[in-house]
Amino acid sequence: MTVQITASEGGIPHNTIMAVGLVGSLVCLYLTYANQFLNAEYAAFFGGLAAVFALLWGTDTIKNLCSYGIGTGVPSAGMIAFGTGVIAMLLATKVETIVPFSAPIAAVVFGAIVGAVAGWIANEVMRMNIPVMVRSLTEMAIIGAIVLMGFTAAMAGGFGFDALAAREIAILGPLTTTSYVGSLLGGCLLAVSFMLGSLALQHPFNACLGPGEQQDRTMMLAAECGFLSMIAVAAISFAFIAFPAALLSLIVAIVGWYYTYVRFIELSKRDAFAWLDAKPILEPKGDD
Amino acid sequence: MTAIAAGSGGGEGINPVASAIGIVLILITLAITYFAVPAGLAALVGVIVGGLLIGFGIHFVPVGGAPAAMGQAPGIATGVAMLATGAGLAGLFGGAWAAANPEFSFAVVIAAGAVGGGLMMAITCLMVNIIYIFGMGIPAASGKVAKDPITGDTQEAYKSQGTEGHGLPFISYVGGVIGGLLGGAGGTLIYYELLQVYTATLPGMFGADAAEVLPIAVSLAGIFAVGMFLVNAVLAAYNITGTIEGPHDPKFKRFPRAIIGCATASAVCGLFAILIVMGV
């Protein structure tokens, strides 16, 4: 599908967005470790915020890559981001069980390796010859891994491989049993976060591209999609983490979604007026 | 910053240096697997073959994207990655069902996956042609060849002016089904090989019964297979860059480099997937 893609120029430079996205999401992921020191998983919502930071960064990366007319449509970029990201993320959770507090960094490192290989194959072996290909796919794999890790933290309160694979279920008070089926991996909830994350990553630029694309509007839609996915993740988290903690996640997600949704509609109206060269209809004010 | 001005679409032919580096990368991943997880070596070979089958199979799938939706080009009106993913996942369901039954041999499992993928493509192609022919009132005609390579039907007289053809001519239909068969078989092969590794190692890792950790093994193998399917599908789509009618399309000749690329990508992804059971 070869489509002419027009992307706005100017705005916040991509490197700035990348720095903010990477640092912001890593800080949020590390804040979820606070769960280990609290009596309930109140910090789980930071996982969702980490995913939103990464999705903002990812939307700008897709915009950067797809402005070259890769001929396969915008969603394919989101597909490969999560295809490589899920592999990096799962290996990172395994590293967490060996070296505690290393999973977020490990996800970035593994994502960079898988993404760079995929980007190099696309550019050199497939001869795409796109200057930003290797860099973009490297970023995308890291973003995919971070989003999945963030959603996992929001669902389960942590992201160690053992914690994801096994779940303690209380029977008769102090007695507990280990359930593998009822765990996040056993229930294959990773597939759910995979789809929630990839939809949120693919959609914003695909929806906003074309003439009149504005960076702030596209980014606002990315944040809106991120919070929308976080609502679903927070709903799932009721099955895994303490009720007040899950409720906190849900409230944060709904507040974030409502704010970004209202802002996105405002920006859409602004750009529609600008594109049509029309004037907004001003409602008469006063007590007439 | 417009797409056309930026100019891309890829060069033609094989890049020999990059291909050689790719093959060296495959050998390196095999060596790392041999030393880190010796039991996973056969599985990694299976994963590489699976990725290669997906990459090759995707070139058969007739996709047209937006031009096909407007009836200006033959093919199914969606991106390569979407369609291939649909066929691959349908195949994976069939293969996973067969893999869950211990009475079925390796060949039956792969065949079940292939049939699942092929069936999905056959149904999609049929519905596309019903919409084109009975809904839009246009006959299926190829713009790339004068005669259908299988039936020998002439195409030119049925082709509308100003288009590259439309609908799904017989050869594209057959190509789509072959692509579905290969993609489904490849995806199932990846799933099956990883499932073998996980069912063998996970009980020891968790100190639990095989039946208890089976859901973890199935879930892990499934999500890794989906991830690798997407990587291979998108890389093959990058090779095609846009529309392809099927095996008679000139772009089909690009498949060798997709095979090298997909095998390399699958080797690296497969290495990561197998390293997850390291230290058992």
Side-chain angles (χ1 to χ4, degrees), chain A residues 30-202:
Chain A
Y30 272 103
L31 283 173
T32 60
Y33 281 108
N35 282 334
Q36 297 175 7
F37 310 104
L38 300 170
N39 59 353
E41 296 89 342
Y42 290 117
F45 74 90
F46 281 114
L49 296 184
V52 173
F53 268 110
L55 288 169
L56 284 171
W57 165 24
T59 299
D60 207 60
T61 308
I62 288 194
K63 180 174 156 177
N64 226 358
L65 174 64
C66 292
S67 59
Y68 283 90
I70 49 180
T72 57
V74 174
S76 72
M79 291 266 190
I80 197 166
F82 277 79
T84 47
V86 69
I87 292 160
M89 177 266 175
L90 275 172
L91 189 58
T93 61
K94 169 74 179 178
V95 171
E96 172 78 13
T97 60
I98 302 165
V99 187
F101 303 110
S102 68
I105 299 292
V108 172
V109 172
F110 294 142
I113 296 172
V114 185
V117 169
W120 175 80
I121 290 170
N123 224 16
E124 300 298 325
V125 181
M126 310 298 186
R127 308 191 79 165
M128 287 286 279
N129 302 329
I130 291 177
V132 298
M133 193 83 196
V134 178
R135 184 189 158 168
S136 294
L137 285 195
T138 307
E139 288 178 27
M140 301 286 268
I142 297 172
I143 290 156
I146 289 178
V147 170
L148 284 169
M149 191 165 268
F151 281 161
T152 305
M155 278 188 202
F159 32 69
F161 187 68
D162 293 336
L164 298 185
R167 183 173 169 226
E168 299 290 323
I169 293 175
I171 43 167
L172 298 173
L175 287 175
T176 58
T177 179
T178 308
S179 164
Y180 295 99
V181 185
S183 68
L184 194 117
L185 270 181
C188 212
L189 283 168
L190 204 58
V192 179
S193 38
F194 190 104
M195 287 326 290
L196 286 172
S198 54
L199 286 174
L201 183 59
Q202 291 169 13

Side-chain angles (χ1 to χ4, degrees), chain A residues 214-249:
Chain A
Q214 292 297 321
Q215 190 189 40
D216 53 354
R217 178 163 54 99
T218 308
M219 301 295 269
M220 196 55 73
L221 183 59
E224 193 253 346
C225 290
F227 281 116
L228 200 57
S229 294
M230 190 181 162
I231 291 176
V233 170
I236 294 170
S237 74
F238 279 100
F240 291 98
I241 61 176
F243 181 81
L247 193 64
L248 181 65
S249 286

Side-chain angles (χ1 to χ4, degrees), chain B residues 20-33:
Chain B
I21 296 174
I23 291 164
V24 171
L25 260 179
I26 296 175
L27 294 175
I28 292 172
T29 58
L30 285 170
I32 295 174
T33 312

